[in-house]
Amino acid sequence: MAKKVLDSGWLAARSTEVSLTGVQLTTTHPPSGPTTPWMEASVPGTVLGTLVKSKAVPDPFYGLNNEAIIDIADSGREYYTFWFFTTFDYSLSANQHVDLNFRAINYSAEVYLNGHKQTLPKGMFRRHTLDITDILNPSGNNLLAVLVYPPDHPGTIPEEGGQGGDHEIGKDVATQYVEGWDWMCPIRDRNTGIWDEVSITATGPVKIIDPHLVSTFFDEFKRSYLHTTVELQNKSSWVAECTVTLQVTTELEENICLVEHFQNTDLTIPAKSGIEYTLPPLFFYKPNLWWPNGMGKQSLYNVEISVDVKGFGESDSWSHYFGFRKIESTIDSTTGGRLFKVNGQPVFIRGGNWILSDGLLRLTKKRYMVDIKFHADMNFNMLRCWGGGLAERPDFYHYCDIYGLLVWQEFWITGDVDGRGIPISNINGPLDHDLFLLCARDTIKLLRNHASLALWVGGNEQVPPYDINTALKSYLNLHPLFTNENITDSTDPSKYMDGTRAYVQGSMWDGFADGKGNFTDGPYEIQNSEDFFKDSFYKYGFNPEVGSVGVPVAATIRATMPPEGWSIPIFKKKSNGYVEETPNPIWEYHKYIPYSKPGKVHDQILMYGYPKNLDDFCEKAQLVNYVQYRALLEGWTSRMWTKYTGVLIWKTQNPWTGLRGQFYDHLHDQTAGFYGCRSAAEPVHVQLNLATYFIEVVNTTADELTDMAVEISVWDLDGACPYYKVTDKMSVPPKKVKKIIEMIYPKSKNAKPVYFVLLKLFRASDMAIVSRNFYWLHLSGEDYTLLEEYRKKKVSLKITSDVLISGSTYEIKMCLENSSTNSTTKTLDLKTFDKDESNMYNSRSTQLAENFEKLKRKPSAWTRFFGGDFVSSNPNYVKRCEINGTHSGVAFFLHISVHGGEKYHQVNNGYVDTRILPVHYSENYFSLVPGEKVNVNLSFEVPDGVVPQVLLTGWNYSESHTVL
């Protein structure tokens, strides 16, 4: 199939400012360029995204700008009804059929091509395909205009805000967050636009439609079959004699792909008709399995289907990267929580809730790749696509396939909007149930072949209306091969609409929260870190939503807010001794969550001393972010399988410049919470139970850990090591948490009020570190204010950087050493800690993800090589530097950042932001004890002509240091 994506050269104009008709625009009077009222448009994208791009409105995510943009409730729908126009060249060949495809629009549209009109009916989550064979211009120059209408019920925004505004948007089949939520500002155009891919595809007489791939397994995964069913449509006026070819290739070593199977099947298709055809299953012996992040490789096979028509040749082709894996989902009898198994192995779920990448739907492959890799870097294994957001796009799922993120996909129902909100509304869900189900069927067919898709869910904190729920259960009924029931069904599993993964009717039903639909998810605020480890914290087996704070670094605050937004909260002490925070109006608008909970949690920022300014506040917030989220995941993991089967954090990121629930900000800079999660969720992990002070070793893998020991060292603020111990050798069974030894230092007579604890799990045979975990702690009744004085104790560091450059991509391997010493300290000579090397189940690299994209564009072949130049293993240059200090002790809370220097900066209202983003770090916000070394890997891209600078800051480093 020849495909041309129409993603550039688009213009847009408000419909009320265009006097011409669609026929005139696409025949005699096309716009000549971006002159009033026409402007350059974002396609894919939204009307508001186009207005921002053209600077017709200010950036709604900056400061209070959104308040200056008129809301659709006040302007009327016609204000955000827009024309989109483009041209494309295409010359028709003999016996060729051409389609114009819209993968999604919001909400309905009229399409004009060369003076001919067609209609795109309502619904945000459905594909549209128009046969344009007979209306293409013989000259090859084609004029396309699309008039896009907003949702029918955009609603109004109550003065007090609320979850989904006045809930009117729930009457349509559209995304619901656009009326605003407690974490999101209202989207003024309600995401109106051509928001997903537009393409032209050409085929011969026969077209391939929505193939379905299913893998089945027998004999403990030794024998497997690939089942394939495909729709074939004969557009011609004669009987088509066809040969359908199914080819499966796999990646071998050294980036070579080899054909595993090649199968031809002959069939006949009557004229002007379509058939559903099931190909003979292909047998595989011990296929390479696809595993979730942290459990093994994400092996993917390239499945290609082509159809040749006698007298024409190849008529159409289709390909997809497919993972052989089996996902099971049941209610665990021990915990009552939802239990997921992949390839027969139980998966302890540690992941997050996902809304969408960007609130203006500026959704690119590059942004998706960064988003998903960030989640894999945090060692997460699941993302929940929340029901008030999107049916996520194929590009999102593609990178989840590559990086091993299981996906829970919800349909477009939320309790707040659909029958459980305040005020109660839309009890029967959307007005058009048939439209909802049409969109559901189309979404299932769009996404079902992705290995990462693990679960379908009817809605967020709500069950769909009875008829919709009944239909979804029918659509998503499991084939007997994917149930524990002893039922015989001779139907090929690929003939099911899905049949391979479970459907759960709501996010708090059937193994989630209390399993009965009561509001038993949450909480969504700051917690005492030790509480996460207590039996009383959460009593159900799987929490689908638990959230907390999320202030970014100070540079992000300055880049996304005017100076009046740089003031820190006002701290007011209440009569009960607790502190209440009052943020400035801009922070309030950006949904700031305080770092205190009067009556329950003392202000965690003030635990480190009163913040002097924005930089001080944000640095202390990063300390809290790290501790809060590490404790959350360690607390849940401490009771893996005995009390819990999983947890999903609310939420991992924001689709705008929000100030709550995020591990990286909208600009793609990570918070310290990112690295707290990365530590806590590693597959093999050593941790300190903050409630009992017992050291625990977590083994989430399927292999027993043998020949292991733990090194425990305590460091005080004077640089001394008052407590040191190495445990006896031990074994840790697979899928278990093992209690090792109590950390007794806090009970000792001379325990210091503030101290550091370093835990290292290592292999005794070769002294290799498997897991490393660093804590800063205080005695009961104390706080961290002594750390303020510790800022003056600068510690010497040695830094070596190996730099690899390939085009605009930099790969840097830094070795950082705390070169201060303490003659009274004796520690084992353990190997330098390397976060990447310690994780035996790393995800695929960014380079490999990019190579997948290159491979997708290559034609089929018996053997093929991955395209692209790999970065050389030999460094382009090596730089060494030293930071001299006068004290011996811990180099505390080191933070690396990359900047563009004088030639690169982003300016917002006079603030110059020199950061290069995104950057992938193997470790950040880390600390080093005397004599300790750690390797940190960085990867990033730079704009042309920019030479990056790498800066190092830290708690006891008052100034930033240029280390590269």
Side-chain angles (χ1 to χ4, degrees):
M1 175 178 65
K3 180 177 179 179
K4 179 182 180 69
V5 177
L6 305 181
D7 59 359
S8 61
W10 286 85
L11 301 172
R14 185 169 284 112
S15 63
T16 55
E17 298 176 2
V18 177
S19 58
L20 300 170
T21 66
V23 173
Q24 291 172 315
L25 288 172
T26 58
T27 52
T28 58
H29 293 81
S32 58
T35 56
T36 305
W38 295 91
M39 64 192 81
E40 293 183 355
S42 296
V43 176
T46 64
V47 168
L48 189 55
T50 287
L51 294 172
V52 171
K53 177 181 179 179
S54 300
K55 302 188 185 305
V57 299
D59 179 359
F61 299 162
Y62 182 85
L64 297 177
N65 281 354
N66 197 49
E67 292 297 279
I69 302 173
I70 190 169
D71 191 80
I72 193 171
D74 302 314
S75 67
R77 292 176 67 247
E78 65 278 359
Y79 186 82
Y80 287 108
T81 300
F82 263 61
W83 281 106
F84 290 86
F85 177 87
T86 193
T87 64
F88 63 91
D89 293 327
Y90 197 88
S91 298
L92 193 65
S93 301
N95 295 321
Q96 200 173 52
H97 296 263
V98 181
D99 290 330
L100 172 62
N101 310 289
F102 295 84
R103 204 159 64 185
I105 58 102
N106 188 28
Y107 186 60
S108 61
E110 297 172 12
V111 177
Y112 295 84
L113 178 63
N114 301 331
H116 297 265
K117 176 184 176 181
Q118 298 196 50
T119 299
L120 303 186
K122 299 173 183 179
M124 186 174 179
F125 304 110
R126 63 187 297 184
R127 294 170 292 174
H128 305 270
T129 296
L130 306 176
D131 189 334
I132 59 172
T133 304
D134 296 332
I135 56 178
L136 288 172
N137 195 324
S139 70
N141 183 31
N142 299 279
L143 308 180
L144 173 63
V146 185
L147 182 61
V148 181
Y149 295 94
D152 292 346
H153 302 89
T156 59
I157 311 302
E159 186 175 343
E160 67 276 10
Q163 312 292 77
D166 65 356
H167 307 153
E168 282 292 292
I169 194 69
K171 293 179 179 178
D172 297 329
V173 184
T175 187
Q176 297 182 358
Y177 80 95
V178 289
E179 282 200 65
W181 226 268
D182 60 4
W183 44 265
M184 185 70 192
C185 67
I187 303 297
R188 300 306 186 189
D189 69 342
R190 307 296 189 265
N191 281 160
T192 300
I194 307 171
W195 69 276
D196 200 2
E197 181 183 272
V198 183
S199 65
I200 303 294
T201 53
T203 68
V206 175
K207 178 183 178 181
I208 297 171
I209 301 173
D210 290 333
H212 187 200
L213 309 176
V214 173
S215 53
T216 57
F217 301 92
F218 305 90
D219 296 341
E220 298 182 344
F221 298 91
K222 293 178 182 177
R223 293 190 299 119
S224 179
Y225 292 89
L226 175 63
H227 305 261
T228 306
T229 294
V230 62
E231 296 177 48
L232 297 168
Q233 182 183 28
N234 182 3
K235 294 186 173 185
S236 71
S237 301
W238 61 87
V239 174
E241 297 182 24
C242 305
T243 299
V244 177
T245 299
L246 177 61
Q247 177 178 287
V248 182
T249 58
T250 185
E251 176 194 354
L252 301 178
E253 293 183 1
E254 299 181 356
N255 308 302
I256 299 174
C257 284
L258 180 69
V259 172
E260 286 260 355
H261 281 280
F262 189 90
Q263 173 185 276
N264 286 331
T265 305
D266 296 329
L267 54 90
T268 300
I269 307 175
K272 296 290 184 181
S273 63
I275 64 169
E276 181 182 87
Y277 185 75
T278 300
L279 281 70
L282 297 179
F283 173 72
F284 290 76
Y285 181 70
K286 291 185 178 180
N288 297 320
L289 300 179
W290 183 94
W291 291 96
N293 188 33
M295 294 183 69
K297 287 186 63 177
Q298 290 75 53
S299 300
L300 295 170
Y301 290 75
N302 189 24
V303 178
E304 297 172 282
I305 302 171
S306 61
V307 55
D308 279 39
V309 177
K310 186 176 181 180
F312 180 85
E314 183 174 283
S315 179
D316 198 4
S317 63
W318 176 92
S319 65
H320 190 85
Y321 283 99
F322 180 75
F324 280 77
R325 60 95 184 97
K326 181 179 182 180
I327 292 180
E328 300 167 88
S329 174
T330 57
I331 298 176
D332 179 49
S333 59
T334 300
T335 65
R338 174 69 49 168
L339 172 63
F340 289 87
K341 289 185 178 180
V342 176
N343 304 329
Q345 293 291 333
V347 184
F348 188 71
I349 298 297
R350 294 175 293 186
N353 284 268
W354 170 269
I355 311 302
L356 68 163
S357 183
D358 177 67
L360 301 187
L361 303 188
R362 294 167 292 195
L363 310 175
T364 64
K365 290 182 179 181
K366 186 173 183 179
R367 187 173 180 91
Y368 270 135
M369 184 175 75
V370 171
D371 283 325
I372 303 308
K373 187 178 188 304
F374 273 179
H375 287 82
D377 287 346
M378 286 188 281
N379 290 312
F380 284 176
N381 54 24
M382 177 175 276
L383 284 173
R384 171 197 175 206
C385 292
W386 175 72
L390 302 179
E392 265 300 352
R393 302 296 86 196
D395 292 333
F396 170 92
Y397 277 92
H398 170 68
Y399 290 112
C400 287
D401 291 347
I402 287 177
Y403 290 115
L405 273 297
L406 297 170
V407 183
W408 152 346
Q409 179 68 62
E410 285 179 4
F411 294 102
W412 319 285
I413 295 288
T414 68
D416 299 279
V417 173
D418 297 293
R420 302 184 80 174
I422 301 173
I424 292 177
S425 58
N426 305 320
I427 295 176
N428 202 32
L431 295 179
D432 191 338
H433 288 200
D434 289 339
L435 174 60
F436 187 100
L437 292 173
L438 185 153
C439 290
R441 292 192 299 272
D442 200 58
T443 297
I444 293 166
K445 292 179 180 180
L446 178 67
L447 303 177
R448 62 189 177 185
N449 291 319
H450 286 280
S452 55
L453 179 56
L455 183 73
W456 298 103
V457 177
N460 165 64
E461 299 177 339
Q462 179 61 303
V463 173
Y466 178 80
D467 59 323
I468 291 178
N469 195 32
T470 301
L472 291 175
K473 289 179 180 178
S474 176
Y475 299 162
L476 299 168
N477 183 41
L478 288 172
H479 189 281
L481 288 173
F482 297 88
T483 70
N484 293 322
E485 302 172 6
N486 188 19
I487 302 175
T488 302
D489 185 351
S490 60
T491 305
D492 188 286
S494 64
K495 294 178 72 67
Y496 278 52
M497 192 177 298
D498 184 329
T500 66
R501 45 182 75 83
Y503 168 74
V504 173
Q505 59 187 345
S507 67
M508 299 187 299
W509 279 259
D510 304 323
F512 299 120
D514 74 349
K516 301 175 183 178
N518 296 306
F519 285 102
T520 47
D521 46 9
Y524 305 93
E525 58 210 0
I526 191 75
Q527 305 293 322
N528 294 307
S529 299
E530 63 272 16
D531 289 349
F532 291 114
F533 295 83
K534 296 177 180 178
D535 283 331
S536 59
F537 183 72
Y538 189 77
K539 61 182 179 180
Y540 304 109
F542 193 121
N543 194 342
E545 298 182 15
V546 56
S548 191
V549 292
V551 164
V553 297
T556 293
I557 298 288
R558 293 191 175 98
T560 57
M561 297 178 185
E564 53 266 34
W566 301 355
S567 61
I568 64 176
I570 296 171
F571 299 90
K572 182 180 179 181
K573 193 168 186 177
K574 300 173 72 70
S575 59
N576 61 1
Y578 288 88
V579 170
E580 184 176 69
E581 294 184 17
T582 303
N584 67 62
I586 297 178
W587 284 30
E588 184 77 22
Y589 191 80
H590 285 250
K591 315 297 184 179
Y592 171 75
I593 286 184
Y595 281 70
S596 65
K597 178 68 174 175
K600 183 179 179 182
V601 182
H602 286 286
D603 196 287
Q604 298 297 291
I605 298 286
L606 297 185
M607 294 283 284
Y608 296 89
Y610 195 93
K612 305 175 186 66
N613 49 40
L614 179 65
D615 293 283
D616 193 23
F617 179 92
C618 289
E619 184 173 22
K620 288 171 177 172
Q622 299 319 309
L623 288 163
V624 181
N625 292 344
Y626 191 103
V627 170
Q628 180 81 172
Y629 287 108
R630 176 179 60 180
L632 189 160
L633 288 179
E634 288 185 340
W636 244 271
T637 307
S638 180
R639 287 172 172 76
M640 178 176 68
W641 311 130
T642 59
K643 185 177 181 182
Y644 300 128
T645 59
V647 61
L648 298 177
I649 297 174
W650 182 268
K651 22 188 212 15
T652 58
Q653 46 75 245
N654 275 306
W656 76 307
T657 51
L659 296 179
R660 65 166 60 193
Q662 60 185 355
F663 299 129
Y664 59 90
D665 58 46
H666 194 246
L667 305 182
H668 275 155
D669 200 353
Q670 299 96 330
T671 73
F674 183 107
Y675 297 96
C677 289
R678 179 170 170 78
S679 172
E682 58 186 350
V684 175
H685 182 60
V686 60
Q687 65 183 38
L688 179 65
N689 186 311
L690 297 180
T692 65
Y693 268 61
F694 269 83
I695 293 165
E696 301 167 340
V697 175
V698 176
N699 180 12
T700 68
T701 75
D703 301 317
E704 182 181 19
L705 300 176
T706 59
D707 195 36
M708 293 288 157
V710 177
E711 181 191 58
I712 309 154
S713 58
V714 173
W715 302 82
D716 63 26
L717 300 187
D718 296 321
C721 180
Y723 179 86
Y724 180 80
K725 184 175 181 62
V726 177
T727 68
D728 295 334
K729 289 196 296 184
M730 71 187 78
S731 297
V732 184
K735 309 289 183 181
K736 294 290 184 182
V737 178
K738 185 169 185 174
K739 185 189 296 185
I740 305 300
I741 189 175
E742 184 179 5
M743 209 279 288
I744 60 173
Y745 174 76
K747 297 179 179 179
S748 62
K749 183 177 179 181
N750 297 317
K752 298 295 180 69
V754 176
Y755 58 97
F756 304 112
V757 175
L758 176 60
L759 305 178
K760 292 181 181 180
L761 176 70
F762 66 95
R763 257 192 320 267
S765 58
D766 61 3
M767 310 299 278
I769 301 172
V770 177
S771 174
R772 175 190 183 276
N773 205 349
F774 182 89
Y775 295 83
W776 52 101
L777 300 165
H778 62 76
L779 298 180
S780 178
E782 302 289 344
D783 57 26
Y784 294 115
T785 52
L786 287 176
L787 286 173
E788 278 288 346
E789 190 68 20
Y790 192 67
R791 279 179 155 167
K792 301 175 184 177
K793 296 188 176 183
K794 190 176 181 180
V795 173
S796 296
L797 294 173
K798 292 181 180 179
I799 303 164
T800 303
S801 301
D802 292 349
V803 184
L804 303 171
I805 307 172
S806 177
S808 62
T809 301
Y810 277 69
E811 303 277 348
I812 301 173
K813 184 167 186 176
M814 302 180 69
C815 180
L816 297 94
E817 178 184 1
N818 181 339
S819 54
S820 71
T821 58
N822 189 315
S823 60
T824 64
T825 301
K826 291 184 178 181
T827 59
L828 293 175
D829 185 21
L830 299 177
K831 293 183 178 179
T832 302
F833 183 63
D834 189 316
K835 191 78 171 184
D836 280 345
E837 291 177 0
S838 71
N839 185 347
M840 66 187 79
Y841 296 119
N842 270 328
S843 298
R844 294 174 179 266
S845 67
T846 302
Q847 180 71 44
L848 185 52
E850 292 169 348
N851 284 331
F852 262 83
E853 289 304 313
K854 294 173 184 175
L855 185 57
K856 283 175 68 178
R857 298 192 291 268
K858 292 180 177 290
S860 62
W862 285 97
T863 61
R864 59 163 64 97
F865 295 80
F866 278 113
D869 297 324
F870 286 99
V871 177
S872 168
S873 60
N874 298 316
N876 294 87
Y877 64 91
V878 177
K879 181 175 179 178
R880 295 178 176 84
C881 70
E882 293 190 18
I883 299 174
N884 295 317
T886 57
H887 294 271
S888 175
V890 172
F892 183 51
F893 215 55
L894 301 175
H895 176 225
I896 301 169
S897 57
V898 182
H899 298 258
E902 296 180 359
K903 291 186 178 181
Y904 177 82
H905 60 268
Q906 305 289 326
V907 180
N908 271 319
N909 276 20
Y911 173 70
V912 177
D913 187 2
T914 62
R915 289 174 297 170
I916 289 176
L917 298 171
V919 180
H920 298 276
Y921 304 91
S922 63
E923 188 62 277
N924 218 337
Y925 294 101
F926 57 94
S927 303
L928 294 173
V929 303
E932 189 180 21
K933 296 180 182 179
V934 65
N935 290 329
V936 179
N937 300 322
L938 295 72
S939 63
F940 54 91
E941 293 182 3
V942 299
D944 291 340
V946 171
V947 178
Q949 292 180 322
V950 179
L951 303 184
L952 178 71
T953 59
W955 184 262
N956 43 340
Y957 298 86
S958 58
E959 298 178 353
S960 62
H961 296 266
T962 302
V963 296
L964 182 65

